[in-house]
Amino acid sequence: LLTWACSTQAAKKPKDAECLACHSDATLTKDGNGKKVSLFVDPVKMKGSIHGAMFSCVDCHKDVKEFPHQAEPKEITCVDCHADAAKAYQHSFHAQQKKADGTPAATCMDCHGSAHDILPASDPKSPVNHANIPATCGRCHGQKFVMDGSGVSSQVFASYQDSVHGRAIEKGSQSAAVCTDCHGTHSILPANDAGSPINKFNVAATCGKCHGQIEHVFLQSVHGQALSRGNQLSPTCTDCHGIHTILAPKNPNSTVSQNRSGETCAGCHQGVRLTQEFGVAGNRVSTYLDSYHGLASKNG
């Protein structure tokens, strides 16, 4: 009798086809805070999604026990399954920064897509696939009207697109750096946070994930050694190469190109603070720029 009762109960478990009998209707909506909220689920996208491939509807909507269900199902949150990612996100800039309506600056679905359509990052069509990350971040960070008031300029995205990294991704590179390679994924933190990969003292290690040999050389230099001692006035990679505007060294517009490197070094080495506080003669760069080599470099 117990076996029969269990099998009978299992048989009553709603099937995906029954759920989609209603939810495949593109016009199906509900009222939510005075707005029409769509309840449509695309059966094709659902079947092709990572959730649809692993679970049935009621595996996630556990409170749906019958078909048709009478009560409105409880809202499902990503934290129910993705606790680690959710914990990292809660401390991130995206979660802490709020829109005018009080909602987070960016939510899981803003980056990953709808829960019913989510594709794994390995899928070329996924918005979080490596090649698609710039476009996904650019949906917000490339829009001036979205970024206004956030303290972050939309110019950042335009600068990245024109950089050596952005150009390489546009040409199909699978290894060039995208936003998440430098900023992180769920736990994106502002640069003034000591845990941020773009904090000044962490930049060399972040760049070193791709440019390991250069990081090793830099850490042995006078600049790298000063940083390791906690001297925040010492330059790191981005102080010389730029941040989002990084260009190839052979590009004449690069801040580390032969014809501009003197000007880049002068930004610090001609400064009064460097001269007075560290006893580094500020006229060395001026002398170089006026020298035969400096003038030849300046004139290309």
Side-chain angles (χ1 to χ4, degrees), residues 166-199:
R167 294 290 188 187
I169 290 294
E170 190 177 10
K171 292 178 181 178
S173 171
Q174 296 295 313
S175 58
V178 296
C179 317
T180 50
D181 290 317
C182 301
H183 293 272
T185 51
H186 299 105
S187 57
I188 293 177
L189 300 170
N192 61 3
D193 190 300
S196 170
I198 59 167
N199 179 273

Side-chain angles (χ1 to χ4, degrees), residues 16 46-57 59-60 81-82 118 120:
D16 285 359
M46 178 63 186
K47 186 176 181 180
S49 73
I50 192 169
H51 288 153
M54 297 171 64
F55 308 110
S56 69
C57 302
D59 284 332
C60 297
C81 293
H82 305 283
I118 289 180

